[in-house]
């Protein structure tokens, strides 16, 4: 009787083991049969890194899926009714809990959040250096900054010149108005493909449009260059390219050599920094 029970147990274990291995092989084959999917990558990173209380900036129609251990408030620059007027192409947008400029987060105290989510938001910001400073300002040591941006190689920005660090420093030092018109004309020429004689008129139309356009254009490498050149007080926890975007997870680490914690950004501006006319 004992031998019969053991033989049956081995039989069941072997069959279930084979089935499990087959399922795992099928899962791996599906996962590796194409480029990483942006939705799955976002989910994986969110469930790995997000805990506690945080905000998502500019979620609109695609808020990030987060684990139960993460509690999110939604921040946008306008109320729900106005957002629906600005973005009529979307049937549904997330109602903001807090109306605030996402690049400033002026309604949030220092070190008051466990994480900040900004998906496809920074390309719309004119002074990205100020935005990164404020994201880190509201995070405590160990807080998470969750970023995704469109990969310029695979979007309508593909033919635009990648934004340089010198360009960003100039916008930060002198104010983004110094290059704003050039961005509008760049969009008119390269994305809208209007004839040269119509560029000025089209740029005026873009400037009057309440929708927020792509001021800056990056790939993962050029974005990471910015993080390292600015000597941000962060650890890079993850950097992942998918088929349409790239994701970067930064963890605030005030022990990193950096001047961004003790001094506001205007105090570190220098006229000796290299400058050139932005593209």
């Amino acid at each position: 009787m004992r031998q019969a029970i053991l033989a049956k147990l081995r039989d069941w274990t072997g069959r279930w083991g084979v089935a499990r291995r087959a399922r795992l092989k099928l899962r791996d084959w599906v996962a590796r049969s194409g480029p990483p999917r942006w939705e799955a990558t976002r989910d994986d990173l969110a469930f790995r890194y997000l805990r506690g209380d945080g905000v998502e900036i500019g979620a609109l129609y695609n808020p990030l899926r987060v684990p139960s251990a993460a509690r999110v408030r939604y921040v946008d620059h306008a109320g729900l009714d106005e957002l629906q007027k600005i973005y009529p192409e979307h049937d549904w947008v997330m109602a903001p809990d807090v109306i605030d400029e996402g690049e400033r987060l002026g309604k949030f105290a220092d070190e008051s959040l466990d994480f900040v989510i900004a998906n496809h938001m920074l390309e719309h910001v004119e002074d990205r250096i100020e935005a990164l400073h404020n994201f880190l300002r509201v995070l405590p040591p160990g807080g998470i900054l969750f970023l995704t941006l469109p990969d310029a190689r695979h979007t309508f920005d593909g033919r635009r010149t990648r934004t340089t660090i010198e360009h960003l420093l100039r916008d930060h030092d002198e104010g983004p108005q110094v290059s704003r018109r050039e961005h509008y004309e760049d969009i008119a020429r390269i994305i809208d493909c209007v004839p040269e004689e119509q560029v000025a008129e089209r740029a005026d139309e873009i400037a009057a449009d309440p929708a927020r356009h792509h001021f800056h254009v990056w790939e993962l490498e050029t974005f990471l260059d910015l993080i390292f050149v600015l000597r941000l007080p962060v650890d890079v926890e993850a950097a992942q390219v998918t088929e349409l975007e790239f994701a970067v997870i930064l963890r605030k680490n005030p022990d990193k050599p950096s001047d961004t914690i003790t001094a506001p950004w205007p105090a570190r501006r220098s006229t000796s920094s290299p400058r050139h006319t932005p593209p």
Side-chain angles (χ1 to χ4, degrees), residues 159-168 170-171 178-187 189-190 214-217 275-279:
R159 294 188 297 116
R160 296 177 68 188
T161 302
R162 306 306 185 250
T163 302
T164 65
I165 294 168
E166 291 81 7
H167 181 153
L168 293 171
R170 181 191 177 195
D171 280 356
V178 300
S179 62
R180 184 178 297 143
R181 180 70 183 188
E182 295 176 53
H183 288 300
Y184 293 152
E185 292 180 355
D186 194 42
I187 293 169
R189 286 190 183 95
I190 297 177
H214 287 195
F215 287 100
H216 303 299
V217 184
R275 299 288 185 269
H276 70 76
T277 301

PDB file of all heavy atoms in Angstrom, residues 159-168 170-171 178-187 189-190 214-217 275-279:
ATOM      1  N   ARG A 159      12.575  63.320 -36.101  1.00  0.00           N
ATOM      2  CA  ARG A 159      13.481  64.118 -36.930  1.00  0.00           C
ATOM      3  C   ARG A 159      13.950  65.391 -36.244  1.00  0.00           C
ATOM      4  O   ARG A 159      14.742  66.150 -36.819  1.00  0.00           O
ATOM      5  CB  ARG A 159      12.807  64.457 -38.264  1.00  0.00           C
ATOM      6  CG  ARG A 159      12.536  63.238 -39.140  1.00  0.00           C
ATOM      7  CD  ARG A 159      12.055  63.611 -40.528  1.00  0.00           C
ATOM      8  NE  ARG A 159      10.785  64.321 -40.495  1.00  0.00           N
ATOM      9  CZ  ARG A 159      10.625  65.583 -40.893  1.00  0.00           C
ATOM     10  NH1 ARG A 159      11.649  66.284 -41.340  1.00  0.00           N
ATOM     11  NH2 ARG A 159       9.427  66.165 -40.841  1.00  0.00           N
ATOM     12  N   ARG A 160      13.472  65.640 -35.045  1.00  0.00           N
ATOM     13  CA  ARG A 160      13.900  66.841 -34.322  1.00  0.00           C
ATOM     14  C   ARG A 160      15.259  66.617 -33.653  1.00  0.00           C
ATOM     15  O   ARG A 160      15.604  65.491 -33.262  1.00  0.00           O
ATOM     16  CB  ARG A 160      12.868  67.226 -33.264  1.00  0.00           C
ATOM     17  CG  ARG A 160      11.529  67.618 -33.831  1.00  0.00           C
ATOM     18  CD  ARG A 160      10.521  67.928 -32.736  1.00  0.00           C
ATOM     19  NE  ARG A 160      10.866  69.135 -32.015  1.00  0.00           N
ATOM     20  CZ  ARG A 160      10.226  69.544 -30.915  1.00  0.00           C
ATOM     21  NH1 ARG A 160       9.223  68.810 -30.423  1.00  0.00           N
ATOM     22  NH2 ARG A 160      10.573  70.650 -30.314  1.00  0.00           N
ATOM     23  N   THR A 161      16.020  67.696 -33.528  1.00  0.00           N
ATOM     24  CA  THR A 161      17.316  67.625 -32.861  1.00  0.00           C
ATOM     25  C   THR A 161      17.123  67.318 -31.386  1.00  0.00           C
ATOM     26  O   THR A 161      16.265  67.900 -30.722  1.00  0.00           O
ATOM     27  CB  THR A 161      18.074  68.956 -33.019  1.00  0.00           C
ATOM     28  OG1 THR A 161      18.216  69.233 -34.409  1.00  0.00           O
ATOM     29  CG2 THR A 161      19.443  68.893 -32.362  1.00  0.00           C
ATOM     30  N   ARG A 162      17.917  66.394 -30.858  1.00  0.00           N
ATOM     31  CA  ARG A 162      17.801  66.048 -29.442  1.00  0.00           C
ATOM     32  C   ARG A 162      18.231  67.240 -28.584  1.00  0.00           C
ATOM     33  O   ARG A 162      19.196  67.932 -28.880  1.00  0.00           O
ATOM     34  CB  ARG A 162      18.665  64.829 -29.119  1.00  0.00           C
ATOM     35  CG  ARG A 162      18.412  63.604 -30.007  1.00  0.00           C
ATOM     36  CD  ARG A 162      16.950  63.188 -30.022  1.00  0.00           C
ATOM     37  NE  ARG A 162      16.745  61.963 -30.784  1.00  0.00           N
ATOM     38  CZ  ARG A 162      16.126  61.891 -31.949  1.00  0.00           C
ATOM     39  NH1 ARG A 162      15.638  62.991 -32.525  1.00  0.00           N
ATOM     40  NH2 ARG A 162      15.969  60.738 -32.571  1.00  0.00           N
ATOM     41  N   THR A 163      17.521  67.455 -27.517  1.00  0.00           N
ATOM     42  CA  THR A 163      17.807  68.576 -26.640  1.00  0.00           C
ATOM     43  C   THR A 163      19.143  68.376 -25.940  1.00  0.00           C
ATOM     44  O   THR A 163      19.396  67.322 -25.351  1.00  0.00           O
ATOM     45  CB  THR A 163      16.698  68.732 -25.592  1.00  0.00           C
ATOM     46  OG1 THR A 163      15.450  68.912 -26.253  1.00  0.00           O
ATOM     47  CG2 THR A 163      16.959  69.936 -24.704  1.00  0.00           C
ATOM     48  N   THR A 164      19.988  69.384 -25.993  1.00  0.00           N
ATOM     49  CA  THR A 164      21.305  69.293 -25.375  1.00  0.00           C
ATOM     50  C   THR A 164      21.280  69.822 -23.951  1.00  0.00           C
ATOM     51  O   THR A 164      20.383  70.573 -23.544  1.00  0.00           O
ATOM     52  CB  THR A 164      22.330  70.107 -26.182  1.00  0.00           C
ATOM     53  OG1 THR A 164      21.980  71.499 -26.111  1.00  0.00           O
ATOM     54  CG2 THR A 164      22.370  69.664 -27.636  1.00  0.00           C
ATOM     55  N   ILE A 165      22.300  69.453 -23.198  1.00  0.00           N
ATOM     56  CA  ILE A 165      22.430  69.954 -21.832  1.00  0.00           C
ATOM     57  C   ILE A 165      22.642  71.465 -21.849  1.00  0.00           C
ATOM     58  O   ILE A 165      22.084  72.197 -21.015  1.00  0.00           O
ATOM     59  CB  ILE A 165      23.585  69.232 -21.120  1.00  0.00           C
ATOM     60  CG1 ILE A 165      23.225  67.744 -20.953  1.00  0.00           C
ATOM     61  CG2 ILE A 165      23.885  69.869 -19.771  1.00  0.00           C
ATOM     62  CD1 ILE A 165      24.365  66.877 -20.538  1.00  0.00           C
ATOM     63  N   GLU A 166      23.414  71.970 -22.827  1.00  0.00           N
ATOM     64  CA  GLU A 166      23.639  73.409 -22.937  1.00  0.00           C
ATOM     65  C   GLU A 166      22.325  74.158 -23.152  1.00  0.00           C
ATOM     66  O   GLU A 166      22.111  75.243 -22.588  1.00  0.00           O
ATOM     67  CB  GLU A 166      24.613  73.710 -24.071  1.00  0.00           C
ATOM     68  CG  GLU A 166      26.046  73.262 -23.817  1.00  0.00           C
ATOM     69  CD  GLU A 166      26.257  71.778 -24.085  1.00  0.00           C
ATOM     70  OE1 GLU A 166      25.330  71.118 -24.598  1.00  0.00           O
ATOM     71  OE2 GLU A 166      27.347  71.274 -23.769  1.00  0.00           O
ATOM     72  N   HIS A 167      21.461  73.577 -23.947  1.00  0.00           N
ATOM     73  CA  HIS A 167      20.140  74.175 -24.190  1.00  0.00           C
ATOM     74  C   HIS A 167      19.361  74.282 -22.880  1.00  0.00           C
ATOM     75  O   HIS A 167      18.797  75.338 -22.547  1.00  0.00           O
ATOM     76  CB  HIS A 167      19.406  73.300 -25.202  1.00  0.00           C
ATOM     77  CG  HIS A 167      18.047  73.798 -25.580  1.00  0.00           C
ATOM     78  ND1 HIS A 167      17.475  73.502 -26.788  1.00  0.00           N
ATOM     79  CD2 HIS A 167      17.125  74.548 -24.931  1.00  0.00           C
ATOM     80  CE1 HIS A 167      16.276  74.060 -26.868  1.00  0.00           C
ATOM     81  NE2 HIS A 167      16.045  74.693 -25.736  1.00  0.00           N
ATOM     82  N   LEU A 168      19.331  73.213 -22.112  1.00  0.00           N
ATOM     83  CA  LEU A 168      18.587  73.208 -20.853  1.00  0.00           C
ATOM     84  C   LEU A 168      19.172  74.198 -19.853  1.00  0.00           C
ATOM     85  O   LEU A 168      18.439  74.885 -19.142  1.00  0.00           O
ATOM     86  CB  LEU A 168      18.585  71.803 -20.266  1.00  0.00           C
ATOM     87  CG  LEU A 168      17.810  70.748 -21.068  1.00  0.00           C
ATOM     88  CD1 LEU A 168      18.063  69.375 -20.503  1.00  0.00           C
ATOM     89  CD2 LEU A 168      16.328  71.057 -21.066  1.00  0.00           C
ATOM     90  N   ARG A 170      20.797  76.913 -20.577  1.00  0.00           N
ATOM     91  CA  ARG A 170      20.461  78.268 -21.014  1.00  0.00           C
ATOM     92  C   ARG A 170      19.014  78.611 -20.657  1.00  0.00           C
ATOM     93  O   ARG A 170      18.729  79.711 -20.157  1.00  0.00           O
ATOM     94  CB  ARG A 170      20.682  78.396 -22.518  1.00  0.00           C
ATOM     95  CG  ARG A 170      20.368  79.795 -23.041  1.00  0.00           C
ATOM     96  CD  ARG A 170      20.330  79.837 -24.540  1.00  0.00           C
ATOM     97  NE  ARG A 170      19.945  81.177 -24.993  1.00  0.00           N
ATOM     98  CZ  ARG A 170      19.559  81.462 -26.224  1.00  0.00           C
ATOM     99  NH1 ARG A 170      19.499  80.516 -27.129  1.00  0.00           N
ATOM    100  NH2 ARG A 170      19.237  82.695 -26.558  1.00  0.00           N
ATOM    101  N   ASP A 171      18.091  77.685 -20.923  1.00  0.00           N
ATOM    102  CA  ASP A 171      16.696  77.932 -20.568  1.00  0.00           C
ATOM    103  C   ASP A 171      16.550  78.191 -19.071  1.00  0.00           C
ATOM    104  O   ASP A 171      15.742  79.022 -18.641  1.00  0.00           O
ATOM    105  CB  ASP A 171      15.832  76.745 -20.963  1.00  0.00           C
ATOM    106  CG  ASP A 171      15.489  76.736 -22.447  1.00  0.00           C
ATOM    107  OD1 ASP A 171      15.857  77.691 -23.150  1.00  0.00           O
ATOM    108  OD2 ASP A 171      14.862  75.757 -22.903  1.00  0.00           O
ATOM    109  N   VAL A 178      13.652  82.505 -23.908  1.00  0.00           N
ATOM    110  CA  VAL A 178      14.702  82.773 -24.895  1.00  0.00           C
ATOM    111  C   VAL A 178      14.660  81.775 -26.047  1.00  0.00           C
ATOM    112  O   VAL A 178      15.154  82.059 -27.135  1.00  0.00           O
ATOM    113  CB  VAL A 178      16.102  82.761 -24.245  1.00  0.00           C
ATOM    114  CG1 VAL A 178      16.212  83.803 -23.164  1.00  0.00           C
ATOM    115  CG2 VAL A 178      16.464  81.387 -23.715  1.00  0.00           C
ATOM    116  N   SER A 179      14.078  80.586 -25.817  1.00  0.00           N
ATOM    117  CA  SER A 179      14.031  79.582 -26.878  1.00  0.00           C
ATOM    118  C   SER A 179      12.611  79.135 -27.224  1.00  0.00           C
ATOM    119  O   SER A 179      12.432  78.290 -28.097  1.00  0.00           O
ATOM    120  CB  SER A 179      14.861  78.355 -26.487  1.00  0.00           C
ATOM    121  OG  SER A 179      14.332  77.736 -25.329  1.00  0.00           O
ATOM    122  N   ARG A 180      11.622  79.722 -26.570  1.00  0.00           N
ATOM    123  CA  ARG A 180      10.238  79.262 -26.765  1.00  0.00           C
ATOM    124  C   ARG A 180       9.812  79.368 -28.225  1.00  0.00           C
ATOM    125  O   ARG A 180       9.255  78.429 -28.800  1.00  0.00           O
ATOM    126  CB  ARG A 180       9.306  80.073 -25.871  1.00  0.00           C
ATOM    127  CG  ARG A 180       7.855  79.622 -25.902  1.00  0.00           C
ATOM    128  CD  ARG A 180       7.046  80.463 -24.938  1.00  0.00           C
ATOM    129  NE  ARG A 180       7.500  80.286 -23.577  1.00  0.00           N
ATOM    130  CZ  ARG A 180       7.550  81.260 -22.664  1.00  0.00           C
ATOM    131  NH1 ARG A 180       7.193  82.486 -22.991  1.00  0.00           N
ATOM    132  NH2 ARG A 180       7.957  81.014 -21.433  1.00  0.00           N
ATOM    133  N   ARG A 181      10.072  80.509 -28.851  1.00  0.00           N
ATOM    134  CA  ARG A 181       9.662  80.707 -30.237  1.00  0.00           C
ATOM    135  C   ARG A 181      10.352  79.705 -31.157  1.00  0.00           C
ATOM    136  O   ARG A 181       9.744  79.188 -32.097  1.00  0.00           O
ATOM    137  CB  ARG A 181       9.987  82.135 -30.676  1.00  0.00           C
ATOM    138  CG  ARG A 181       9.606  82.456 -32.120  1.00  0.00           C
ATOM    139  CD  ARG A 181       8.100  82.528 -32.274  1.00  0.00           C
ATOM    140  NE  ARG A 181       7.718  82.775 -33.668  1.00  0.00           N
ATOM    141  CZ  ARG A 181       6.482  83.036 -34.056  1.00  0.00           C
ATOM    142  NH1 ARG A 181       5.505  83.088 -33.159  1.00  0.00           N
ATOM    143  NH2 ARG A 181       6.200  83.252 -35.314  1.00  0.00           N
ATOM    144  N   GLU A 182      11.604  79.418 -30.885  1.00  0.00           N
ATOM    145  CA  GLU A 182      12.325  78.455 -31.713  1.00  0.00           C
ATOM    146  C   GLU A 182      11.690  77.066 -31.625  1.00  0.00           C
ATOM    147  O   GLU A 182      11.657  76.332 -32.622  1.00  0.00           O
ATOM    148  CB  GLU A 182      13.789  78.414 -31.296  1.00  0.00           C
ATOM    149  CG  GLU A 182      14.532  79.713 -31.552  1.00  0.00           C
ATOM    150  CD  GLU A 182      15.948  79.653 -31.037  1.00  0.00           C
ATOM    151  OE1 GLU A 182      16.661  78.705 -31.409  1.00  0.00           O
ATOM    152  OE2 GLU A 182      16.337  80.539 -30.265  1.00  0.00           O
ATOM    153  N   HIS A 183      11.210  76.714 -30.443  1.00  0.00           N
ATOM    154  CA  HIS A 183      10.519  75.429 -30.305  1.00  0.00           C
ATOM    155  C   HIS A 183       9.252  75.401 -31.162  1.00  0.00           C
ATOM    156  O   HIS A 183       8.984  74.408 -31.851  1.00  0.00           O
ATOM    157  CB  HIS A 183      10.149  75.188 -28.839  1.00  0.00           C
ATOM    158  CG  HIS A 183      11.312  74.866 -27.959  1.00  0.00           C
ATOM    159  ND1 HIS A 183      12.126  73.782 -28.168  1.00  0.00           N
ATOM    160  CD2 HIS A 183      11.792  75.500 -26.853  1.00  0.00           C
ATOM    161  CE1 HIS A 183      13.055  73.739 -27.237  1.00  0.00           C
ATOM    162  NE2 HIS A 183      12.878  74.770 -26.425  1.00  0.00           N
ATOM    163  N   TYR A 184       8.471  76.471 -31.112  1.00  0.00           N
ATOM    164  CA  TYR A 184       7.244  76.515 -31.893  1.00  0.00           C
ATOM    165  C   TYR A 184       7.551  76.426 -33.394  1.00  0.00           C
ATOM    166  O   TYR A 184       6.858  75.713 -34.143  1.00  0.00           O
ATOM    167  CB  TYR A 184       6.479  77.799 -31.608  1.00  0.00           C
ATOM    168  CG  TYR A 184       5.933  77.902 -30.197  1.00  0.00           C
ATOM    169  CD1 TYR A 184       5.751  79.148 -29.596  1.00  0.00           C
ATOM    170  CD2 TYR A 184       5.580  76.769 -29.471  1.00  0.00           C
ATOM    171  CE1 TYR A 184       5.234  79.256 -28.306  1.00  0.00           C
ATOM    172  CE2 TYR A 184       5.079  76.864 -28.192  1.00  0.00           C
ATOM    173  CZ  TYR A 184       4.906  78.113 -27.607  1.00  0.00           C
ATOM    174  OH  TYR A 184       4.402  78.207 -26.329  1.00  0.00           O
ATOM    175  N   GLU A 185       8.573  77.113 -33.840  1.00  0.00           N
ATOM    176  CA  GLU A 185       8.931  77.055 -35.258  1.00  0.00           C
ATOM    177  C   GLU A 185       9.472  75.675 -35.629  1.00  0.00           C
ATOM    178  O   GLU A 185       9.233  75.182 -36.738  1.00  0.00           O
ATOM    179  CB  GLU A 185       9.955  78.146 -35.567  1.00  0.00           C
ATOM    180  CG  GLU A 185       9.383  79.559 -35.462  1.00  0.00           C
ATOM    181  CD  GLU A 185      10.394  80.637 -35.771  1.00  0.00           C
ATOM    182  OE1 GLU A 185      11.586  80.295 -35.986  1.00  0.00           O
ATOM    183  OE2 GLU A 185      10.011  81.828 -35.812  1.00  0.00           O
ATOM    184  N   ASP A 186      10.170  75.045 -34.706  1.00  0.00           N
ATOM    185  CA  ASP A 186      10.673  73.685 -34.927  1.00  0.00           C
ATOM    186  C   ASP A 186       9.508  72.725 -35.135  1.00  0.00           C
ATOM    187  O   ASP A 186       9.519  71.881 -36.040  1.00  0.00           O
ATOM    188  CB  ASP A 186      11.512  73.272 -33.717  1.00  0.00           C
ATOM    189  CG  ASP A 186      12.355  72.038 -33.969  1.00  0.00           C
ATOM    190  OD1 ASP A 186      12.939  71.941 -35.059  1.00  0.00           O
ATOM    191  OD2 ASP A 186      12.438  71.188 -33.062  1.00  0.00           O
ATOM    192  N   ILE A 187       8.479  72.848 -34.309  1.00  0.00           N
ATOM    193  CA  ILE A 187       7.294  71.994 -34.443  1.00  0.00           C
ATOM    194  C   ILE A 187       6.604  72.253 -35.779  1.00  0.00           C
ATOM    195  O   ILE A 187       6.190  71.325 -36.478  1.00  0.00           O
ATOM    196  CB  ILE A 187       6.329  72.245 -33.273  1.00  0.00           C
ATOM    197  CG1 ILE A 187       6.958  71.774 -31.951  1.00  0.00           C
ATOM    198  CG2 ILE A 187       4.990  71.546 -33.499  1.00  0.00           C
ATOM    199  CD1 ILE A 187       6.198  72.213 -30.719  1.00  0.00           C
ATOM    200  N   ARG A 189       7.884  73.370 -38.601  1.00  0.00           N
ATOM    201  CA  ARG A 189       8.663  72.883 -39.739  1.00  0.00           C
ATOM    202  C   ARG A 189       8.714  71.361 -39.812  1.00  0.00           C
ATOM    203  O   ARG A 189       8.474  70.770 -40.860  1.00  0.00           O
ATOM    204  CB  ARG A 189      10.099  73.416 -39.647  1.00  0.00           C
ATOM    205  CG  ARG A 189      10.286  74.867 -39.979  1.00  0.00           C
ATOM    206  CD  ARG A 189      11.770  75.216 -40.097  1.00  0.00           C
ATOM    207  NE  ARG A 189      11.940  76.624 -40.343  1.00  0.00           N
ATOM    208  CZ  ARG A 189      12.165  77.530 -39.383  1.00  0.00           C
ATOM    209  NH1 ARG A 189      12.239  77.143 -38.109  1.00  0.00           N
ATOM    210  NH2 ARG A 189      12.296  78.814 -39.693  1.00  0.00           N
ATOM    211  N   ILE A 190       9.049  70.745 -38.678  1.00  0.00           N
ATOM    212  CA  ILE A 190       9.417  69.329 -38.706  1.00  0.00           C
ATOM    213  C   ILE A 190       8.229  68.413 -38.465  1.00  0.00           C
ATOM    214  O   ILE A 190       8.117  67.349 -39.094  1.00  0.00           O
ATOM    215  CB  ILE A 190      10.532  69.070 -37.672  1.00  0.00           C
ATOM    216  CG1 ILE A 190      11.784  69.865 -38.070  1.00  0.00           C
ATOM    217  CG2 ILE A 190      10.848  67.584 -37.574  1.00  0.00           C
ATOM    218  CD1 ILE A 190      12.926  69.756 -37.087  1.00  0.00           C
ATOM    219  N   HIS A 214       5.513  69.468 -27.054  1.00  0.00           N
ATOM    220  CA  HIS A 214       6.809  68.898 -26.711  1.00  0.00           C
ATOM    221  C   HIS A 214       7.884  69.960 -26.925  1.00  0.00           C
ATOM    222  O   HIS A 214       8.289  70.228 -28.056  1.00  0.00           O
ATOM    223  CB  HIS A 214       7.111  67.682 -27.587  1.00  0.00           C
ATOM    224  CG  HIS A 214       6.308  66.486 -27.236  1.00  0.00           C
ATOM    225  ND1 HIS A 214       6.625  65.203 -27.675  1.00  0.00           N
ATOM    226  CD2 HIS A 214       5.179  66.327 -26.481  1.00  0.00           C
ATOM    227  CE1 HIS A 214       5.735  64.344 -27.217  1.00  0.00           C
ATOM    228  NE2 HIS A 214       4.856  65.005 -26.489  1.00  0.00           N
ATOM    229  N   PHE A 215       8.358  70.540 -25.839  1.00  0.00           N
ATOM    230  CA  PHE A 215       9.441  71.514 -25.966  1.00  0.00           C
ATOM    231  C   PHE A 215      10.785  70.822 -26.144  1.00  0.00           C
ATOM    232  O   PHE A 215      11.663  71.337 -26.824  1.00  0.00           O
ATOM    233  CB  PHE A 215       9.485  72.414 -24.724  1.00  0.00           C
ATOM    234  CG  PHE A 215       8.370  73.409 -24.669  1.00  0.00           C
ATOM    235  CD1 PHE A 215       7.254  73.189 -23.874  1.00  0.00           C
ATOM    236  CD2 PHE A 215       8.412  74.562 -25.434  1.00  0.00           C
ATOM    237  CE1 PHE A 215       6.218  74.107 -23.828  1.00  0.00           C
ATOM    238  CE2 PHE A 215       7.374  75.487 -25.400  1.00  0.00           C
ATOM    239  CZ  PHE A 215       6.280  75.255 -24.598  1.00  0.00           C
ATOM    240  N   HIS A 216      10.947  69.656 -25.527  1.00  0.00           N
ATOM    241  CA  HIS A 216      12.250  69.000 -25.522  1.00  0.00           C
ATOM    242  C   HIS A 216      12.125  67.563 -26.031  1.00  0.00           C
ATOM    243  O   HIS A 216      11.063  66.944 -25.954  1.00  0.00           O
ATOM    244  CB  HIS A 216      12.847  69.022 -24.119  1.00  0.00           C
ATOM    245  CG  HIS A 216      12.981  70.410 -23.564  1.00  0.00           C
ATOM    246  ND1 HIS A 216      13.763  71.365 -24.158  1.00  0.00           N
ATOM    247  CD2 HIS A 216      12.410  71.011 -22.483  1.00  0.00           C
ATOM    248  CE1 HIS A 216      13.688  72.491 -23.470  1.00  0.00           C
ATOM    249  NE2 HIS A 216      12.862  72.302 -22.449  1.00  0.00           N
ATOM    250  N   VAL A 217      13.244  67.051 -26.521  1.00  0.00           N
ATOM    251  CA  VAL A 217      13.269  65.749 -27.198  1.00  0.00           C
ATOM    252  C   VAL A 217      14.481  64.964 -26.691  1.00  0.00           C
ATOM    253  O   VAL A 217      15.611  65.474 -26.724  1.00  0.00           O
ATOM    254  CB  VAL A 217      13.378  65.932 -28.727  1.00  0.00           C
ATOM    255  CG1 VAL A 217      13.313  64.582 -29.429  1.00  0.00           C
ATOM    256  CG2 VAL A 217      12.283  66.859 -29.240  1.00  0.00           C
ATOM    257  N   ARG A 275      27.476  77.892 -23.267  1.00  0.00           N
ATOM    258  CA  ARG A 275      26.163  78.211 -23.826  1.00  0.00           C
ATOM    259  C   ARG A 275      26.246  78.234 -25.342  1.00  0.00           C
ATOM    260  O   ARG A 275      27.292  78.533 -25.928  1.00  0.00           O
ATOM    261  CB  ARG A 275      25.703  79.599 -23.357  1.00  0.00           C
ATOM    262  CG  ARG A 275      25.563  79.715 -21.846  1.00  0.00           C
ATOM    263  CD  ARG A 275      24.342  78.923 -21.350  1.00  0.00           C
ATOM    264  NE  ARG A 275      24.154  79.135 -19.930  1.00  0.00           N
ATOM    265  CZ  ARG A 275      24.708  78.351 -19.017  1.00  0.00           C
ATOM    266  NH1 ARG A 275      25.463  77.344 -19.377  1.00  0.00           N
ATOM    267  NH2 ARG A 275      24.492  78.600 -17.744  1.00  0.00           N
ATOM    268  N   HIS A 276      25.158  77.933 -25.993  1.00  0.00           N
ATOM    269  CA  HIS A 276      25.038  78.165 -27.432  1.00  0.00           C
ATOM    270  C   HIS A 276      23.580  78.337 -27.752  1.00  0.00           C
ATOM    271  O   HIS A 276      22.704  78.042 -26.945  1.00  0.00           O
ATOM    272  CB  HIS A 276      25.665  77.022 -28.239  1.00  0.00           C
ATOM    273  CG  HIS A 276      24.896  75.742 -28.160  1.00  0.00           C
ATOM    274  ND1 HIS A 276      23.729  75.520 -28.853  1.00  0.00           N
ATOM    275  CD2 HIS A 276      25.130  74.608 -27.442  1.00  0.00           C
ATOM    276  CE1 HIS A 276      23.293  74.307 -28.584  1.00  0.00           C
ATOM    277  NE2 HIS A 276      24.102  73.746 -27.741  1.00  0.00           N
ATOM    278  N   THR A 277      23.311  78.824 -28.928  1.00  0.00           N
ATOM    279  CA  THR A 277      21.927  78.986 -29.334  1.00  0.00           C
ATOM    280  C   THR A 277      21.282  77.631 -29.462  1.00  0.00           C
ATOM    281  O   THR A 277      21.804  76.762 -30.168  1.00  0.00           O
ATOM    282  CB  THR A 277      21.845  79.721 -30.688  1.00  0.00           C
ATOM    283  OG1 THR A 277      22.479  80.980 -30.523  1.00  0.00           O
ATOM    284  CG2 THR A 277      20.402  79.918 -31.095  1.00  0.00           C
ATOM    285  N   PRO A 278      20.166  77.376 -28.770  1.00  0.00           N
ATOM    286  CA  PRO A 278      19.557  76.040 -28.794  1.00  0.00           C
ATOM    287  C   PRO A 278      19.005  75.734 -30.171  1.00  0.00           C
ATOM    288  O   PRO A 278      18.692  76.632 -30.952  1.00  0.00           O
ATOM    289  CB  PRO A 278      18.416  76.152 -27.760  1.00  0.00           C
ATOM    290  CG  PRO A 278      18.122  77.607 -27.690  1.00  0.00           C
ATOM    291  CD  PRO A 278      19.412  78.319 -27.966  1.00  0.00           C
ATOM    292  N   PRO A 279      18.890  74.422 -30.473  1.00  0.00           N
ATOM    293  CA  PRO A 279      18.362  74.026 -31.781  1.00  0.00           C
ATOM    294  C   PRO A 279      16.896  74.428 -31.928  1.00  0.00           C
ATOM    295  O   PRO A 279      16.208  74.590 -30.963  1.00  0.00           O
ATOM    296  CB  PRO A 279      18.519  72.494 -31.766  1.00  0.00           C
ATOM    297  CG  PRO A 279      18.542  72.124 -30.311  1.00  0.00           C
ATOM    298  CD  PRO A 279      19.186  73.275 -29.603  1.00  0.00           C
TER     299      PRO A 279
END
